[in-house]
Amino acid sequence: MSRKLISEFLGTFWLVFGGCGSAVFAAAFPELGIGFLGVAFAFGLTVLTMAYAVGGISGGHFNPAVSVGLTVAGKFPVSNLVPYIVAQVLGAIVAATALYVIVTGKAGAELGGFAANGYGEHSPGGYSLLSALLIEVILTAFFLLVILGSTHGRVPVGFAPIAIGLALTLIHLISIPVTNTSVNPARSTGQALFVGGWALQQLWLFWLAPILGGAIGAVVWKIFGEEEKAGHASSVQPAQT
């Protein structure tokens, strides 16, 4: 179990450090900024790379909403849910701490939004609470569908991280203007702790919506996609079950 939790810690650290780091340092870098497209790919690449690196140990959740969704789908034991979430949140907080130290190491630097998630006046595009709720629920639900579908026995083994990483890239391409994209309560928590104020006040949404979306995606999958065909067995990694 300790190896699984360390893997979840490292995977979530890399997701936050790479994804949020790209947003903080490189998105609007003078003249050569990577923009929304670059940030979206950065998040997708963090999941893709760590799914291959440590996914075979822990299952590669790196996200409390994914762990909850897999539990609802019957792919992950309830007894491991809280330890996984704790490891994920700790990984996100340590990554945010490292980013904070780097950001504040530049003379005259300002923390700014620090890639935190928000709605209303704190949404990059000024979108409402309802808009933020809907997009986070819908995108996390489909993220779970991609995860469960790509790790199913009907799909060739070894390609799931690619589909999952690209799905997360697409999710960010859609929703960065709306909420700065969460779909991951751990990622939201680490950044909010350093921004404080409004980010902490709005953090509840970025726990509620992704977890609700993950559970919905799992239920939808169980209704239409779970039945195994003869000769096939689920390819969800043993670490997840």
Side-chain angles (χ1 to χ4, degrees), residues 10 12 34 46 49 54 61 82-83 129 155 171 174 212-213 229:
L10 292 174
T12 313
I34 62 174
T46 62
T49 52
V54 300
H61 301 189
V82 171
L129 168 60
V155 179
I171 284 168
I174 296 168
L212 179 59
K229 293 183 177 180

Side-chain angles (χ1 to χ4, degrees), residues 3-4 6 34 51 82 90 97 113 125 142-143 229:
R3 293 176 69 244
K4 295 178 183 180
I6 291 170
I34 62 174
V82 171
L90 287 176
T97 302
F142 274 88
F143 192 39
K229 293 183 177 180

Side-chain angles (χ1 to χ4, degrees), residues 151-241:
T151 55
H152 194 278
R154 293 185 292 255
V155 179
V157 176
F159 292 96
I162 298 173
I164 295 167
L166 288 175
L168 190 61
T169 299
L170 175 60
I171 284 168
H172 280 78
L173 288 173
I174 296 168
S175 61
I176 287 176
V178 183
T179 62
N180 231 8
T181 309
S182 172
V183 301
N184 186 334
R187 167 263 190 272
S188 299
T189 299
Q191 305 308 116
L193 287 176
F194 285 92
V195 175
W198 65 265
L200 286 174
Q201 293 168 10
Q202 296 188 356
L203 181 60
W204 66 271
L205 178 69
F206 301 106
W207 275 87
L208 174 64
I211 287 176
L212 179 59
I216 291 172
V219 170
V220 171
W221 175 258
K222 289 184 72 174
I223 291 172
F224 91 95
E226 179 57 27
E227 184 178 356
E228 299 281 359
K229 293 183 177 180
H232 288 282
S234 175
S235 63
V236 173
Q237 308 218 14
Q240 293 181 336
T241 59

Side-chain angles (χ1 to χ4, degrees), residues 89-111:
V89 171
L90 287 176
I93 292 173
V94 173
T97 302
L99 291 174
Y100 176 81
V101 172
I102 296 169
V103 167
T104 56
K106 179 181 178 181
E110 296 182 1
L111 193 61

